[in-house]
RNA sequence: GCCGGGGUGGCGGAACUGGUCAGACGCGCCCGACUUAAAAUCGGGUGGCCCUCGGGCCGUGCGGGUUCAAGUCCCGCCCCCGGCACCA
């Protein structure tokens, strides 16, 4: 029997015991209340960081507490194993992403095990395993059968030098990360999932999630962005009819149909068909459309760029007055929202106002603007008529309040067949195609004769070859005949397999269901899912507040409608844990590049007045006085991370776990403190001393959790 | 730019739906006790400025406002963090 506390030995013994006794293996047991405690699965980046330790410790504490309360608790773990970092590692080291990923998983699994979490490791899964991702493919095909998955063109970042599609993250200041070449937009065919069909339900069901943080629900509601408005068709004038080659109308969506008589121009996106038609006739316009193609596709970039536009010389007719309105191509109009066209009402919309000012277009208003400030136009208007005002100079619709004006105008448009009231969502359909290697293959075959043909279910999974090495210039699958050469399942002739892979958010949209039945070879889910799901407590970072959580909610609703599961919301309670912070110390050599030093290497010297100096005693430059920059998120770039492995070796997992739990409430940021770690360590030591005393006195030690 | 969160002593952070006197609690610092000494521990003090030692004035990112009363409500702005649909 030991009499001094040696964390490594104690923890090894305990973990062995738990392993031998299968202490954390969860089995379906209708007699006991179940509890599904889930932490967001990690990306296998290589090493655990403190954020992981904190996340999983929170889940583990809850798991063990509820076990002791008599709940049948499931706490699983898995790996979000597809994604860009593996390709980046391949580019720099020449190692296949599969090898790199699996090695990382092995290392991180060992690190996680050393923390002694009450995880049922039998259920472990990695999203890059064909046994998992075949069901991504299977459900995709089911969605496609119902029109929930479809193909249309989408716009991506294009590196003209590497001839490759770039992720937004790979665009630095409008240039490709590897080539430095100015990024362009390019239109390519992609697969989409029709999440917008569920927009109304995704929004309404937020009300049924009282145990989600309010801010997450607000962010999701704003993201879905329901707005009530009106479709309005502006019939093409003769010039537009001849340019487009057919009669028709320019459709817009607006929430302010009441301002229809203040329209002074029409603005369309550069990718709009009318813009492309007009550009064919005008080299100047073609150049402008080309200019709009420069830069990345992110909303942040589109929203912050200077408003620019150019007239097409084409016109549409006002639906009531018949007055011609010129169509402009404008860089602030987004093709992806609404109809890719807006009616320009400078007096009632700040962006239209700025655009009109920049281009010299007229502003129809009661006040002549002189200063260029929108407030100058808006303020007297609101003062006179209130926020939404009263219609003036609007023909038969003059003198109406907002609601009444919209209703009357919409009714009149409907009579003319030129519009109707409609609900529009900001949410867009989910584009899942990625022109990348390390992801789940999209199970489609392109046949010259039959077109797009789904891979038959019996041929699933379409297995991703694991020996390719991406080099940064395009998708290696598209250069691998062994992968793309195939025969058409319908006509048997030679065909080409789709080489795009799925967005990794697909992988994480349902993994929590598969934990319930990881060994099920014949189906995506089975009756065990009905026992464990929905997840009772989900724990993860706030950075997933919108995309991951919204996609998982959508995917679950689709599975419900396919009668695969009976619930519509996957996560009953949500906890967003705070970040782990540490001090940031830097040294700025004269004329040199700023360097960061890890707080563990910094000594604090306090003067009698309480002021402090900070010093790195042993650096490669000798003793250095460093500057304290404050406290920030642990990050590689600021060199202020704490490696969990070293911490566990020195103090043991219990100290690491105790410190991360007691130093701050789970939702709040956690500030690293070596004194705090020492304190936690002392506490654990005292605890074990007491245990040893009991054992010495003849009591049996309790290792059952 | 848009959406969400935040900004309070040297530091982490309290303060219910506007209501005693902002700064609980903790850390740090200062003074004292114990000690040969130090650490540990215990007791006291600790927002800033001024002071005739009674107290006075200022103070919750900045500038306005509402109110008998504002950290809290309203208007405008600044800064930091997360997200903005191809990072995960």
């Amino acid at each position: 029997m030991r009499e001094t506390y040696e964390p490594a030995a104690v923890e090894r013994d305990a973990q062995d015991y738990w392993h031998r006794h299968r202490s954390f293996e969860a089995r379906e047991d209708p007699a006991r209340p179940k509890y599904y405690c889930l932490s967001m699965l990690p990306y296998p980046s290589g090493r655990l960081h403190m954020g992981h330790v904190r996340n999983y410790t929170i889940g583990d504490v809850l798991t063990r507490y509820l076990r002791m309360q008599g709940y049948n608790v499931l706490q699983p773990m898995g790996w979000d194993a597809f994604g860009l970092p593996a390709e980046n590692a391949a580019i720099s080291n020449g190692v296949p992403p599969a090898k790199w990923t699996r090695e990382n998983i092995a290392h991180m699994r060992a690190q996680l095990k050393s923390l002694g979490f009450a995880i049922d490791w039998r259920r472990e899964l990695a999203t890059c395993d064909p046994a998992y991702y075949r069901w991504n493919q299977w459900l995709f095909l089911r969605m496609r059968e119902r029109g929930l998955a479809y193909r249309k063109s989408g716009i991506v970042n294009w590196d003209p030098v590497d001839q490759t599609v770039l992720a937004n993250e790979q665009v630095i200041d409008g240039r490709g990360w590897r080539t430095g070449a100015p990024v362009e937009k390019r239109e390519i065919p992609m697969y989409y999932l029709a999440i917008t069909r569920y927009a109304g339900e995704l929004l309404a069901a937020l009300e049924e999630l009282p145990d989600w943080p309010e801010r997450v629900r607000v962010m999701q509601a704003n993201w879905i962005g329901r707005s009530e408005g009106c479709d309005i068709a502006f019939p093409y004038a003769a010039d537009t009819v001849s340019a487009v080659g057919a009669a028709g109308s320019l459709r817009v969506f607006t929430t302010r149909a009441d301002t229809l008589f203040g329209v002074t121009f029409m603005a369309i996106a550069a990718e709009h068909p009318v813009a492309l038609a007009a550009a064919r006739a005008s080299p100047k316009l073609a150049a402008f459309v080309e200019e709009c193609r420069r830069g990345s596709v992110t909303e942040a970039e589109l929203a912050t760029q200077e408003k620019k536009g150019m007239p097409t010389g084409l016109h549409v007719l006002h639906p009531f007055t018949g007055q011609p309105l010129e169509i402009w191509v404008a860089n602030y109009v987004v093709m992806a929202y609404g109809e890719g066209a807006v009616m320009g009402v400078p007096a009632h919309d700040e962006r239209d106002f700025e655009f009109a000012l920049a281009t010299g277009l007229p502003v129809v208003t009661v006040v002549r603007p002189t200063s260029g400030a929108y407030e100058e136009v808006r303020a007297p208007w609101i003062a006179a008529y209130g926020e939404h005002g009263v219609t003036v100079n609007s023909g038969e619709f003059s003198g109406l309040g907002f609601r009444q004006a919209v209703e009357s105008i919409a009714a009149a448009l409907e009579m003319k067949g030129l519009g109707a009231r409609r609900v529009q969502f900001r949410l867009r359909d989910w584009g899942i195609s990625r022109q990348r290697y390390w992801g789940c293959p999209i199970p489609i075959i392109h046949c010259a004769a039959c077109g797009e043909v789904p891979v038959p279910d019996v041929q699933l999974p379409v297995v991703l070859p694991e020996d390719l090495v991406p080099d940064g210039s395009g998708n290696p699958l598209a250069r691998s005949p062994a992968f793309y050469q195939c025969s058409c399942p319908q006509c048997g002739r030679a065909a080409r397999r789709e080489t795009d892979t799925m967005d990794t958010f697909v992988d994480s949209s349902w993994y929590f269901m598969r934990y319930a039945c990881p060994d099920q070879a014949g189906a995506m889910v089975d009756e065990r899912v009905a026992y464990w799901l929905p997840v009772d407590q989900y724990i993860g970072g706030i950075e997933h507040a919108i995309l991951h959580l919204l996609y998982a909610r959508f995917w679950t609703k689709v599975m419900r409608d396919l009668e695969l599961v009976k619930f519509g919301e996957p996560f009953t309670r949500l906890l967003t844990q705070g970040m782990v912070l540490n001090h940031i110390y830097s040294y700025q050599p004269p004329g040199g590049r700023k360097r960061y030093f890890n707080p563990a290497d910094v000594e604090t010297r306090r003067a009698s007045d309480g002021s402090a100096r900070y010093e790195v005693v042993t650096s490669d430059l000798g003793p250095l006085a460093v500057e304290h920059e404050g406290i920030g998120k642990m990050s590689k770039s600021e060199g202020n991370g704490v490696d969990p492995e070293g911490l566990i070796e020195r103090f043991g997992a219990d100290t690491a776990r105790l410190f991360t739990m007691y130093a701050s409430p789970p939702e709040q940021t956690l500030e690293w403190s070596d004194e705090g770690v020492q304190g936690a360590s002392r506490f654990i030591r005292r605890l074990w001393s007491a245990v040893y005393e009991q054992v010495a006195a003849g009591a049996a030690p309790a290792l059952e959790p």
Side-chain angles (χ1 to χ4, degrees), chain A residues 28 115 243 311 333 475 523 562 591 599 607:
Chain A
E28 298 72 36
L115 278 155
V333 180
N475 181 353
L562 290 166

Side-chain angles (χ1 to χ4, degrees), chain A residues 73-124:
Chain A
V73 185
L74 169 60
Q75 181 176 233
M77 184 55 66
W79 308 97
D80 188 17
F82 277 134
L84 209 50
E87 298 202 17
N88 293 342
I91 292 168
S92 37
N93 312 327
V95 180
K99 186 172 189 294
W100 182 84
T101 301
R102 291 187 205 287
E103 284 172 6
N104 286 349
I105 287 175
H107 184 73
M108 290 173 76
R109 182 195 298 118
Q111 288 188 305
L112 277 177
K113 287 193 169 174
S114 75
L115 278 155
F117 294 132
I119 289 168
D120 183 353
W121 282 103
R122 294 174 311 158
R123 297 168 184 270
E124 178 184 0

Side-chain angles (χ1 to χ4, degrees), chain A residues 7 16 287 587 596:
Chain A
D16 282 352
Y587 172 69
Y596 288 91

Side-chain angles (χ1 to χ4, degrees), chain A residues 440-571:
Chain A
C440 168
I442 294 174
I444 293 287
I445 288 166
H446 300 282
C447 170
C450 308
E452 238 182 287
V453 181
V455 173
D457 283 357
V458 291
Q459 290 177 25
L460 295 182
V462 175
V463 177
L464 184 74
E466 296 204 350
D467 54 351
L468 303 183
V469 183
D471 62 3
S473 64
N475 181 353
L477 288 177
R479 297 191 298 257
S480 174
F483 179 76
Y484 67 71
Q485 282 179 354
C486 61
S487 55
C488 172
Q490 272 173 29
C491 69
R493 272 178 285 194
R496 187 182 168 92
R497 192 181 293 288
E498 171 70 51
T499 56
D500 281 359
T501 54
M502 293 186 196
D503 181 3
T504 56
F505 276 124
V506 171
D507 307 322
S508 54
S509 286
W510 70 283
Y511 73 100
F512 44 88
M513 297 188 199
R514 192 66 185 176
Y515 282 140
C517 54
D519 53 358
Q520 175 54 262
M524 186 174 190
V525 291
D526 63 25
E527 69 287 348
R528 291 172 288 177
V529 171
Y531 176 82
W532 289 112
L533 276 283
V535 171
D536 294 283
Q537 176 71 62
Y538 198 28
I539 305 161
I542 186 71
E543 68 273 20
H544 296 295
I546 297 174
L547 293 179
H548 161 59
L549 291 169
L550 192 64
Y551 291 145
R553 293 180 61 217
F554 158 67
W555 195 276
T556 299
K557 287 178 196 304
V558 170
M559 287 181 69
R560 176 204 58 198
D561 290 348
L562 290 166
E563 296 184 353
L564 294 164
V565 298
K566 292 209 157 47
F567 50 93
E569 286 294 336
F571 313 120

